[in-house]
Amino acid sequence: EVQLVESGGGLVQPGGSVRLSCVASGFSSSNYWMYWVRQAPGKGLVWVSRISSDGRSTNYAGSVRGRFSISRDNAKNTVYLQMNSLRVEDTAMYYCARAVGNAYGYGWLDPWGQGTLVTVSS
Amino acid sequence: DIQMTQSPSSLSASVGDRVTITCRPSQNISNYLNWYQQKPGRAPKLLIYGTSTLQSGVPSSFSGSGSGTDFTLTISSLQPEDSATYYCQQSYNVPLTFGGGTKVEIK
């Protein structure tokens, strides 16, 4: 079964850091661009970051650029999101997802992990 | 960035009704439009990609159509299990962007 499982979320103080992990199973994640998408409580879906299959190319939403860093370890079938200088407005469920349909990382997202909740609060 | 406008933001319909959700991107995206279903407390699930191709396992009561700047998701006969929020997403270029969502409730 193709599956993504996120972990690493929790309660963090403003200005703090956390690292999220996303472990893929049932497929080789090294063949795919991978995405992080977040959803604030009661809100819609917002793209956060993406990384190429070989890890050489990364992109970030403007709201997180310079604070978040995406990386991957293809030997471990794992993608990471290092989140620094966290703000209250970063509070959200964070999903990882596989991009399908295009070699350049454009495409549809399938599957999605179950998400990991990051709460930034003092 | 391409802005994705969904309408309505919410709707309430009866079992068996035909339901239509519209998605309008801020520029021409050809047929690079995908739809997701999200139930409360769950991750989004891919329904339709490339405007009209149903993901494996998705009931044939779902269909997608459109091109350019006007797209539609249709549920031909609404069922109780279709109660969810539906999101469109463009894959024409990066960043991938999503519509604001349409919450579908059963009367």
Side-chain angles (χ1 to χ4, degrees):
Chain A
E1 179 189 7
V2 173
Q3 192 174 10
L4 297 168
V5 178
E6 302 97 332
S7 61
L11 177 62
V12 187
Q13 291 192 337
S17 299
V18 69
R19 188 177 83 155
L20 307 183
S21 299
C22 170
V23 179
S25 60
F27 71 101
S28 176
S29 64
S30 63
N31 294 327
Y32 297 90
W33 284 74
M34 297 294 292
Y35 278 69
W36 286 98
V37 176
R38 70 184 180 184
Q39 186 172 37
K43 301 297 184 181
L45 303 168
V46 178
W47 167 73
V48 173
S49 182
R50 70 175 196 146
I51 187 167
S52 61
S53 55
D54 61 6
R56 294 182 181 180
S57 181
T58 59
N59 300 100
Y60 300 92
S63 59
V64 307
R65 191 174 296 122
R67 300 187 298 122
F68 290 12
S69 177
I70 191 171
S71 61
R72 67 192 300 161
D73 183 340
N74 284 340
K76 296 182 178 180
N77 245 9
T78 302
V79 177
Y80 304 98
L81 186 67
Q82 177 68 43
M83 305 166 63
N84 298 330
S85 303
L86 282 162
R87 305 167 180 169
V88 171
E89 55 265 33
D90 294 318
T91 294
M93 183 71 78
Y94 285 76
Y95 297 101
C96 70
R98 180 182 72 170
V100 185
N102 179 293
Y104 303 102
Y106 306 16
W108 50 93
L109 301 178
D110 181 68
W112 297 57
Q114 86 287 353
T116 187
L117 181 63
V118 175
T119 303
V120 185
S121 174
S122 55
Chain B
D1 298 2
I2 298 175
Q3 307 303 315
M4 306 295 289
T5 301
Q6 272 185 250
S7 61
S9 57
S10 66
L11 65 90
S12 180
S14 300
V15 172
D17 282 354
R18 183 182 183 89
V19 169
T20 299
I21 298 168
T22 297
C23 180
R24 293 195 168 92
S26 59
Q27 68 180 70
N28 188 330
I29 62 168
S30 185
N31 70 332
Y32 295 100
L33 193 282
N34 312 303
W35 291 97
Y36 301 86
Q37 177 193 63
Q38 186 179 33
K39 296 184 177 181
R42 305 293 297 275
K45 169 190 163 185
L46 178 68
L47 281 182
I48 291 172
Y49 59 91
T51 299
S52 59
T53 302
L54 258 61
Q55 174 68 337
S56 176
V58 173
S60 58
S61 56
F62 289 89
S63 64
S65 63
S67 67
T69 59
D70 197 357
F71 298 86
T72 299
L73 172 69
T74 299
I75 308 173
S76 61
S77 178
L78 190 66
Q79 299 301 306
E81 59 268 27
D82 300 333
S83 177
T85 299
Y86 294 85
Y87 294 93
C88 62
Q89 173 241 323
Q90 64 82 17
S91 50
Y92 182 77
N93 65 11
V94 290
L96 303 187
T97 45
F98 296 87
T102 297
K103 186 174 184 178
V104 174
E105 295 180 325
I106 309 295
K107 280 184 186 174

